[in-house]
Each structure stands twice: as C-alpha cells, then as structure tokens.
Amino acid sequence: MQQNNDRPRRAGGGHHSAVGPAGGPRQTPPDEAGDLRYTDPWYDALASGWGESAGTGPATVPAPPARREPRAAADADVYLEVQRSAAFQEVRSRYRRFVIPGAAAFFAWYVAYVVTATSAPHLMARPVAGAVNVGMLAGLGQFLTTFLLTWAYTRHARLRRDRAALDLRWETQELARGRGGAA
C-alpha cells in the first residue's frame, strides 16, 4: 500500500478499519512528528510496482555521472563529423529514395480508396463474387499493401542500409572512444 500525505486531512484521529469515514482511505496513527497519514490502497494502483523489486519500494537508479563540458563538445564533434561523412549521406540517401516514393504511393492509394468510397458508392457496391463487392476487395487491398510495403521496407533496409549503418555505428563508437567521449 502507498501512503500519501498530499491529500487533505479529514477530521478525526486515531486508527480506523480498512475504510475511513464516508468510504475514504483509512487513517493510520500519527507518526513521531504528529502528522496524520493516510494509506490509500487505490492511489496510483496501476503504477505501483512498476520499476520496484519485491516489496523494496521504488527502484533506485544511480544518477548519471556529471558531464564535463569538454567531453560533451567532443561527443558533439564526433557526431557532426559522422553526419557530414559520405557514408552517412549515402545511408540517408538510400533511406529517402525508398521511403519518400513508397509513402507517397501508399498515401495516394489510400486517398483514392477513400475518395472513391465516398464519391462513387455505386462503383464500390458492384458485386464481384457472391456477397463480395469492389469496396470489400479494395479495403482488403489496403491491408495487403500495408503488409507488402512493410515487407519491402524491411527487405530494402536489410539489403541496402543495415550493413552500412552498422559500420557507421562502429566508426562512431571508435571515434568517441578515441577522443575521450562517450562509448
């Protein structure tokens, strides 16, 4: 259970059973300073336990070491140098050459589907086979093109960009280590 001292205090003191007056949280006895505490089992019930180990309270995460200005400047220089490199520009170019036309084509197909469905319902209602009509096929085509575009993107990334991006990552880490920056 979580204790909350930020809520307004209710009149009355002492220790009550599980539910306080008017169905509110129960009161616990005053602490050494004379403060009356409320234990509310529903306060942040969904978030309690996240990041906490078995009953030890909130997890403690060590604070990151204080960054010195020269180190931060060295890190920035490394990343700027990599960003200006021909290898990085090639990876970005390959990414843009796939994503921009792919996104434009998919968006055009989606808009065409929506516009046709709203402006030509008689066309979309035309039967194809039994109860299946053109609108149903076009709607299923939206799902199919989503999966195909996702497959094509992952294939393109694997074949054309991942190796170069991994090489850039290693190069960046080596440069950062060599200049005393973050690894």
Side-chain angles (χ1 to χ4, degrees), residues 5 7 19 25 31 40 45 52 55 78 82 94 101 111 131 133 141 147 164:
N5 290 325
R7 297 209 178 163
V19 177
D31 63 1
D40 186 354
E52 299 174 7
V78 166
V82 170
R94 289 178 184 175
V111 168
N133 60 23
F147 293 127

Side-chain angles (χ1 to χ4, degrees), residues 3-182:
Q3 293 181 348
N4 184 4
N5 290 325
D6 297 336
R7 297 209 178 163
R9 292 181 173 86
R10 296 180 190 216
H15 181 71
H16 296 282
S17 63
V19 177
R26 70 179 176 169
Q27 299 173 355
T28 56
D31 63 1
E32 296 82 34
D35 245 355
L36 185 60
R37 295 180 178 260
Y38 290 93
T39 304
D40 186 354
W42 298 106
Y43 182 75
D44 276 346
L46 295 176
S48 66
W50 287 45
E52 299 174 7
S53 51
T56 60
T60 56
V61 177
R67 305 242 348 188
R68 293 174 296 201
E69 192 59 36
R71 184 172 173 182
D75 289 347
D77 290 340
V78 166
Y79 289 105
L80 284 173
E81 182 179 331
V82 170
Q83 183 179 9
R84 292 181 185 126
S85 71
F88 181 82
Q89 296 304 321
E90 179 62 25
V91 169
R92 293 288 300 205
S93 175
R94 289 178 184 175
Y95 172 77
R96 289 184 184 125
R97 279 194 305 255
F98 181 85
V99 168
I100 292 172
F106 185 78
F107 185 70
W109 158 231
Y110 175 73
V111 168
Y113 169 72
V114 172
V115 167
T116 305
T118 56
S119 64
H122 58 279
L123 173 67
M124 297 297 251
R126 183 173 296 162
V128 175
V132 178
N133 60 23
V134 173
M136 292 172 96
L137 290 178
L140 291 173
Q142 289 289 313
F143 287 104
L144 179 65
T145 54
T146 301
F147 293 127
L148 286 174
L149 189 60
T150 303
W151 170 80
Y153 175 80
T154 56
R155 183 175 185 274
H156 180 268
R158 182 173 31 91
L159 296 176
R160 302 243 161 55
R161 293 192 327 263
D162 285 353
R163 175 57 53 194
L166 186 60
D167 291 343
L168 275 171
R169 181 179 178 188
W170 284 110
E171 178 184 334
T172 304
Q173 289 179 353
E174 290 299 319
L175 283 171
R177 269 192 217 110
R179 295 186 186 175

